[in-house]
Amino acid sequence: MLGSKEKIVENLSNLIFESYGSRLTEKEKEEIRKSIEQTFENSVKLHQISLENGDEPFSVFIPYRKEKN
Amino acid sequence: MSFLAFNSIKELSDKLGDGSLSPVELTGFFLERLKLHGPKLNAVVTIMENRAHKQAFKLKKELEKGKIRSPLHGIPYGGKDLLAAIGAPTSWGAAPYKDRVLKYDATVVSRLERAGAILSAKLAMIELAGGMGYRQPNASFTGPCKTPWNLNYWSGGSSSGSGSAVAAGLVPFAIGSETWGSILSPANNCGVSGLRPTYGRVSRYGAMALSWTLDKLGPLCQTAEDCGLILEAISGFDPHDPSTTRRKYKFETVQKDFRVALIKGNMIGADELSNKNFEKSLKIIEKFAIVDEITFPEFPYEAVTRMILNAEAASAFEDFIDEGLSHQLTASEDRYNGYSRLTVLAKDYLRALRLRGKMVKIAEEIMQSYDAVLAPTSKRTAAPINQEFRRNAPTTPSIDITGSVGNGAGLPSISVPAGFSEEGLPTCIQFMGKAYDENIIISLAVEYQKRTDWHKKHPKEFE
């Protein structure tokens, strides 16, 4: 994964604090930062498995037609 | 009449069928128990007396004319308070919604009504089904729900009231929901039989969405067999829920030479007594099934399911968070946890969905020679009511394979009681099956319950 963990976590945290910071205490901001760090670590784990271009998301889009009664 | 409290659906159905009991009497009996014991357990949000009485009288008249809708004709039940139902608020366990009324019935509610079951109460749940990442039992506007086995301990969640009310004999069965652990956790902590069906088996129309590709609805009951009866009534295609399968489900037990897989190292981090009880269960299971040890290959199972859950929960509750409603929630951590999930990147969510394709194939391949994976439902008994349950979690790091693979791959699992701790708290085992193999895992659980009486033990205070 490209980019340092600290920088990415800081940037993502700032994204939240920019929008919602006025509602949050310093302690809550610190908890949010920790939680974003955990998500980053999960993302790193996901990137340890290689995928082929044809490995599609395992959820299927189905074009819709209303069922006739 | 107190002997009725812990009767199975089959036993109650026989009494209703031979006329020794009427739906009106039975409903009145359980409504009284809900009123008397519900508050002690923090298990009930709303008792639906009017709706239940009206339905009971109608079903009584039908019975008198010889009409029996199904084995559930005249059987009262409770629904987790994330199910929309006419006649009561639908709170999702969350203070901002405690008076919110949805004027329609969830598909599960209407299907149960069609089968003759009587909705008698909306049951307590963790706020937003745990969608904000709660870490403590006190995460519902109705207070921390208790296991009837010891009122100082937690019922589990998020289908807290569904587990507690069935275990205390306040309703013969209840409907819960599971995204990751929310049926099996209360089944474990309350010592009842709980079934998480295959993803898409049961319509979620009218149920709160936490994670569209992980959410399932299922029953909590006195016995494994009862779980099959309820699943038959609530399963099936629903045009309102595009995830529902067109495969038909009919409950029937299966007789065969069972093969069960035990995940190597699955008791790492378990407490001594849970371990001991699991070993005893294993010896019983070996009397009717071949048990082999298997290993799941290294794979980020938990990271895949966690990423999907976090991304979908962020979207499901984005407006709720934007409006600042999370700050009205009960658990302090639920007031801010949701914000971090708004930063999950689309590329990570999609990567998790792509890896899910690999995960389902790993599970299918490993399980292909087996009828089920056997595991403890939880490695620990219920946590104390007044502390963060993470403190009660295994101290040795271990992967929750049955939770992450089971929910991530949408596999069914049934949990049944398998013993008690020194504090009198239940320990349970689960049989996790391949997709759509509910009848196989229920049959395994039925075989286990034929040879044990853990499911026939009930908390003294509520007998």
Side-chain angles (χ1 to χ4, degrees), chain B residues 309-321:
Chain B
L309 198 167
N310 285 353
E312 294 184 4
S315 180
F317 297 118
E318 185 185 1
D319 294 345
F320 182 85
I321 293 167

Side-chain angles (χ1 to χ4, degrees), chain B residues 36-91:
Chain B
L36 182 67
H37 298 300
K40 277 185 242 172
L41 295 161
N42 288 338
V44 180
V45 184
T46 310
I47 296 175
M48 301 183 73
E49 201 157 5
N50 287 344
R51 180 172 171 151
H53 275 311
K54 203 172 155 192
Q55 177 76 349
F57 275 107
K58 189 176 172 188
L59 290 162
K60 179 176 180 258
K61 280 184 188 158
E62 286 182 9
L63 262 182
E64 285 163 358
K65 287 178 190 162
K67 183 181 172 185
I68 297 175
R69 297 187 188 192
S70 85
L72 306 186
H73 192 114
I75 309 284
Y77 78 99
K80 184 174 181 177
D81 202 22
L82 53 52
L83 299 171
I86 296 165
T90 301
S91 73

Side-chain angles (χ1 to χ4, degrees), chain B residues 80 124-126 134 145-149 154-167 174-178 180-195 218-221 377-378 382 415 417 426 428:
Chain B
K80 184 174 181 177
M125 60 180 281
I126 295 296
Y134 74 116
C145 187
K146 300 160 189 177
T147 172
W149 292 97
W154 185 39
S155 61
S158 65
S159 307
S160 313
S162 302
S164 184
V166 172
I175 300 296
S177 75
E178 170 150 335
W180 185 338
S182 286
I183 289 174
L184 297 196
S185 153
N188 181 79
N189 288 11
C190 298
V192 296
S193 303
L195 173 68
L220 293 104
C221 304
T377 307
S378 170
S415 172
C428 295

Side-chain angles (χ1 to χ4, degrees), chain B residues 142-297:
Chain B
T142 47
C145 187
K146 300 160 189 177
T147 172
W149 292 97
N150 186 328
L151 301 188
N152 295 316
Y153 288 82
W154 185 39
S155 61
S158 65
S159 307
S160 313
S162 302
S164 184
V166 172
L170 312 191
V171 282
F173 76 94
I175 300 296
S177 75
E178 170 150 335
T179 305
W180 185 338
S182 286
I183 289 174
L184 297 196
S185 153
N188 181 79
N189 288 11
C190 298
V192 296
S193 303
L195 173 68
R196 176 187 78 214
T198 306
Y199 175 81
R201 184 66 100 178
V202 179
S203 169
R204 301 152 313 159
Y205 175 70
M208 185 204 86
L210 164 54
S211 171
W212 296 280
T213 72
L214 291 169
D215 295 342
K216 285 87 54 187
L217 299 178
L220 293 104
C221 304
Q222 297 291 347
T223 67
E225 198 169 2
D226 283 358
C227 289
L229 289 173
I230 304 305
L231 183 61
E232 183 173 320
I234 62 177
S235 61
F237 176 72
D238 177 8
H240 294 301
D241 179 350
S243 76
T244 47
T245 180
R246 288 183 185 271
R247 290 173 191 245
K248 297 226 180 321
Y249 176 77
K250 182 167 175 39
F251 170 55
E252 52 196 9
T253 50
V254 178
Q255 299 294 323
K256 70 187 291 262
D257 297 325
F258 291 110
R259 289 181 73 91
V260 169
L262 193 63
I263 303 170
K264 196 174 177 184
N266 74 348
M267 289 308 283
I268 293 173
D271 60 36
E272 204 184 321
L273 213 96
S274 296
N275 215 333
K276 213 179 267 180
N277 287 350
F278 186 73
E279 290 297 326
K280 282 184 195 163
S281 300
L282 193 55
K283 286 200 171 70
I284 292 163
I285 291 160
E286 282 169 340
K287 289 178 184 163
F288 61 88
I290 293 167
V291 181
D292 290 334
E293 206 169 54
I294 57 160
T295 308
F296 271 72

Side-chain angles (χ1 to χ4, degrees), chain B residues 293-311:
Chain B
E293 206 169 54
I294 57 160
T295 308
F296 271 72
E298 290 270 323
F299 192 85
Y301 304 106
E302 289 186 323
V304 167
T305 306
R306 180 67 57 201
M307 191 65 79
I308 293 169
L309 198 167
N310 285 353

